[in-house]
Amino acid sequence: MDLQTRKLNLITYLAQIKDEILFEKLENYILKREIEHNPELKPFTVEELLNRIEKSELDFKNGNVKSQEDLERISANW
């Protein structure tokens, strides 16, 4: 069985899990592995997340935003 088929089988299995404890264990295992392999990636603390929300809301209130068209124009030059 090739890797792509195995991945699809696993996705199907995960979608059918009804046991919250089992799902949480699998989820924690995957997240732990992700952090081990990408140590620069770490979840925001609640305080960091709230600070980002406040800054975003202030930017929006002050008109410091870009439209979808602006972003498409900028990304076309990447």
Side-chain angles (χ1 to χ4, degrees):
M1 185 179 317
D2 68 338
L3 183 59
Q4 189 65 23
T5 303
R6 291 171 57 205
K7 288 179 184 180
L8 292 172
N9 287 342
L10 182 57
I11 291 168
T12 301
Y13 174 76
L14 290 172
Q16 295 174 3
I17 292 177
K18 292 180 176 43
D19 182 341
E20 180 72 28
I21 294 170
L22 174 60
F23 187 83
E24 188 173 330
K25 285 180 181 180
L26 291 167
E27 184 178 41
N28 287 335
Y29 175 78
I30 292 168
L31 293 173
K32 181 181 174 189
R33 297 272 303 173
E34 199 55 36
I35 290 169
E36 289 172 357
H37 287 89
N38 297 303
E40 69 278 359
L41 298 178
K42 62 179 179 124
F44 292 120
T45 65
V46 172
E47 184 178 340
E48 289 171 325
L49 186 57
L50 292 174
N51 287 338
R52 288 177 67 106
I53 291 169
E54 288 175 9
K55 183 182 180 316
S56 296
E57 289 177 344
L58 187 59
D59 282 342
F60 180 77
K61 182 179 176 183
N62 292 328
N64 187 17
V65 295
K66 294 194 183 325
S67 69
Q68 178 71 32
E69 292 80 19
D70 291 339
L71 294 173
E72 288 174 2
R73 202 170 19 261
I74 292 168
S75 66
N77 297 322
W78 290 352

